[in-house]
Amino acid sequence: MTENRAIRIAEREGLCSVSSNTKWQRLMPLIQSFPCHKRIKFIDVAEPTGWQTGLWQPHPHYVEASGGPEELKFVEWVEIERCERRHMGRLVQCSVLDHSDEIRRSLEEARATFKETDSSFFILGYTCPAVTPIPFT
């Protein structure tokens, strides 16, 4: 039933799937391992989740972000910021660690479909051939 719903939404929105459930199952532990902020956009919701450092997988076919568990087949994209900000306290400026090379290498090794921007990586679950899938904010 939910598989049909995902297909109907993708067809209605003109989206093409580029990541299977199996690929997401391999990618989620990798994505969780990066200490940078992340957010997820699902195809059945207009806005992405809020930024957070962790994601939780309560079941191999689900991911839980800020809105409760969702099936992996509904993940449109996952955005990972390139840099990790480490807060050192009120009086000390936070340190910024750039993880770009590590993230890029890991995603390439996992054969993930992704795009880079100046500030983040977008791992794609769906793409729209006629329109760029990356929101420019």
Side-chain angles (χ1 to χ4, degrees):
M1 175 121 157
T2 58
E3 185 172 327
N4 292 336
R5 183 169 168 252
I7 291 169
R8 283 194 316 270
I9 293 169
E11 287 176 350
R12 182 184 70 219
E13 301 297 324
L15 300 172
C16 293
S17 176
V18 294
S19 295
S20 66
N21 269 1
T22 303
K23 184 175 276 189
W24 279 121
Q25 288 170 358
R26 285 195 328 262
L27 287 172
M28 279 302 164
L30 178 68
I31 293 168
Q32 292 169 354
S33 73
F34 299 127
C36 309
H37 283 96
K38 309 155 190 75
R39 65 181 181 166
I40 301 177
K41 168 70 174 71
F42 297 103
I43 63 172
D44 59 342
V45 181
E47 296 294 322
T49 63
W51 289 102
Q52 53 201 20
T53 54
L55 299 173
W56 183 55
Q57 232 181 327
H59 183 276
H61 296 285
Y62 289 81
V63 63
E64 186 162 339
S66 55
E70 281 271 1
E71 287 187 77
L72 292 172
K73 66 182 86 186
F74 288 96
V75 175
E76 186 172 343
W77 48 256
V78 175
E79 183 179 8
I80 304 172
E81 288 186 329
R82 292 174 173 271
C83 296
E84 171 192 9
R85 292 178 300 280
R86 287 193 182 164
H87 297 282
M88 308 299 282
R90 289 183 145 187
L91 302 176
V92 180
Q93 242 183 355
C94 67
S95 62
V96 177
L97 303 170
D98 189 343
H99 293 281
S100 296
D101 294 337
E102 173 192 354
I103 294 170
R104 185 182 308 105
R105 183 178 56 254
S106 297
L107 294 175
E108 287 171 348
E109 287 174 1
R111 298 181 185 253
T113 304
F114 69 96
K115 302 220 186 253
E116 293 184 52
T117 67
D118 290 339
S119 60
S120 60
F121 290 86
F122 283 83
I123 305 166
L124 304 174
Y126 292 88
T127 186
C128 186
V131 181
T132 179
I134 300 172
F136 295 99
T137 54

